[in-house]
Each structure stands twice: as structure tokens, then as C-alpha cells.
Amino acid sequence: ETGVTQSPTHLIKTRGQQVTLRCSSQSGHNTVSWYQQALGQGPQFIFQYYREEENGRGNFPPRFSGLQFPNYSSELNVNALELDDSALYLCASSLGRSGAYEQYFGPGTRLTVT
Amino acid sequence: QKEVEQDPGPLSVPEGAIVSLNCTYSNSAFQYFMWYRQYSRKGPELLMYTYSSGNKEDGRFTAQVDKSSKYISLFIRDSQPSDSATYLCAPGGSYIPTFGRGTSLIVHP
């Protein structure tokens, strides 16, 4: 069984640029959720994808967008980067929407915006 | 008032101590209660998952939920240096948990 993987591990971008983060879900899981974790804070829910459709969204602006592919891997795109976007971005996979309570996290992508 | 409140610590204890980690929440709709452990520079790892009020035990870990007072606890018996991490409580009512900011635990030999 393969766990959740994320790429890249670290990323440095300049304010105003765009970034794409990638996530491969755990084998057999069809739901992917994305979280933003600022330093010293808990993860904040960005959105969830279930079977390639957005299934819920947290309090994040439209410049945060995503995709889920037929193999259930996922991308998080952030446009017009701001300094406050610097954080650890976590992807979590689960089986089914209600299974988000038993979700498994990847190691995260640490994004630094300068 | 934040939906989930957690003392950030750090909480420092000697090896072998019983650790009590706590969390309060404000949303009475929360029915699912999770605890995650997060080591430095890693993603959170699911430790315990309970539904509604009551206790659940798993090895050295016991999760306790009191919905009447909106209070969640995690107890760790015989704590080990390898338990040093940040512990995140995460209650939820729909299908997305709401995370606390985490409590940093340090277990020293």
C-alpha cells in the first residue's frame, strides 16, 4: 500500500507569481482534501475533491483552485501569491466524503513567498 | 471565540508520566472527534477517532469526549520521548474536521 505523497517538498516563489502543488492519494482512496498550515497553527481546510468534483470549500479566495484527476491524484493552484500564503500545504486522502474523518496526510509542501 | 481552542504549550513531562491534553470547542453540531500527532516538519498522523461522547482506548492512548461541556481530552500513559510531538484535536460535524492549533508535548528522558 502506497501512502500519500506530495511534490515538491519545498518551494520559494515571489509575490504575484503562481504555483501548482501536487498530491498522490493513498491507494484505494477517492477523496482528497487540501489544508493550509501556518507556522504554529492547526491545518485550515481549503477544499475537498471527491471523484473529480469539488465537494466543499473553506474560507479561501478564488485564487486558490484545484483539480482531481481520474486516478484521484490532485493539484492545488494558487494565483497572485501573497506573502501570507507562506505556509505548509497539506494534502489528505480518504475513502468517501464521510471518510474524511479517517484521512491520511502527506508530508506537505512548504511554500515560502518572498 | 475560535471554534476549537487548544493550549499551545509547550507541555514538558518526564518519561513515564501520564499526560493529559485538552481541547474545548464551541460548535454543538460536532459529532466526530479526532486526535492527530504531528512530528516536526511532517504531516499529521491520525491517532484516535471517536464518535459522540464517551471514552476510547488504544494501547497507551485514551480519548475522552464530554459533549455536554464541549470538552475533549487525550491521555497518554507511560509517556516516552518518542511521544514528543504536537497533538492536534480535530472535532467535526459534517465531513470536514476543524483543527485546533495543537499542543506541543516534550517528554524528556
Side-chain angles (χ1 to χ4, degrees):
Chain A
E1 184 179 91
T2 307
V4 179
T5 60
Q6 291 186 244
S7 63
T9 306
H10 296 91
L11 205 50
I12 300 175
K13 288 287 190 177
T14 302
R15 189 171 52 182
Q17 286 188 315
Q18 177 266 343
V19 68
T20 297
L21 311 181
R22 295 179 173 81
C23 171
S24 290
S25 60
Q26 184 165 307
S27 177
H29 285 181
N30 56 15
T31 302
V32 172
S33 302
W34 285 92
Y35 294 83
Q36 179 194 68
Q37 186 175 25
L39 198 61
Q41 302 297 318
Q44 298 295 307
F45 174 68
I46 303 175
F47 43 57
Q48 182 185 84
Y49 280 84
Y50 171 67
R51 292 186 175 179
E52 302 179 60
E53 292 192 4
E54 188 176 291
N55 187 49
R57 189 178 183 92
N59 189 26
F60 280 81
R63 60 188 185 84
F64 285 78
S65 63
L67 281 174
Q68 186 178 33
F69 300 100
N71 67 354
Y72 303 130
S73 65
S74 177
E75 285 183 356
L76 164 65
N77 299 291
V78 187
N79 294 322
L81 284 166
E82 300 177 0
L83 297 179
D84 284 349
D85 295 334
S86 295
L88 181 68
Y89 287 84
L90 295 161
C91 157
S93 76
S94 56
L95 182 59
R97 289 175 292 181
S98 60
Y101 293 107
E102 290 190 72
Q103 56 186 343
Y104 297 88
F105 283 85
T109 293
R110 186 161 298 280
L111 172 65
T112 302
V113 182
T114 62
Chain B
Q1 181 188 14
K2 286 189 174 180
E3 273 197 297
V4 181
E5 299 272 9
Q6 222 180 333
D7 187 331
L11 176 63
S12 182
V13 301
E15 183 176 355
I18 296 174
V19 175
S20 172
L21 301 166
N22 307 298
C23 202
T24 59
Y25 64 93
S26 58
N27 190 337
S28 57
F30 287 160
Q31 299 177 62
Y32 300 88
F33 304 91
M34 279 70 62
W35 282 95
Y36 285 83
R37 177 174 63 194
Q38 186 172 24
Y39 291 112
S40 181
R41 311 189 80 78
K42 302 286 188 183
E45 168 195 10
L46 180 64
L47 269 181
M48 303 278 288
Y49 164 26
T50 60
Y51 175 75
S52 197
S53 284
N55 292 357
K56 182 176 181 179
E57 189 173 320
D58 184 0
R60 296 185 296 111
F61 299 89
T62 299
Q64 190 173 80
V65 176
D66 182 346
K67 289 185 69 179
S68 63
S69 59
K70 299 189 181 68
Y71 197 82
I72 312 166
S73 299
L74 178 71
F75 299 97
I76 307 174
R77 290 184 299 281
D78 188 26
S79 56
Q80 303 294 310
S82 59
D83 294 328
S84 297
T86 296
Y87 290 80
L88 301 154
C89 70
S94 56
Y95 47 86
I96 302 297
T98 301
F99 285 84
R101 64 180 298 182
T103 298
S104 175
L105 172 66
I106 301 168
V107 181
H108 51 86

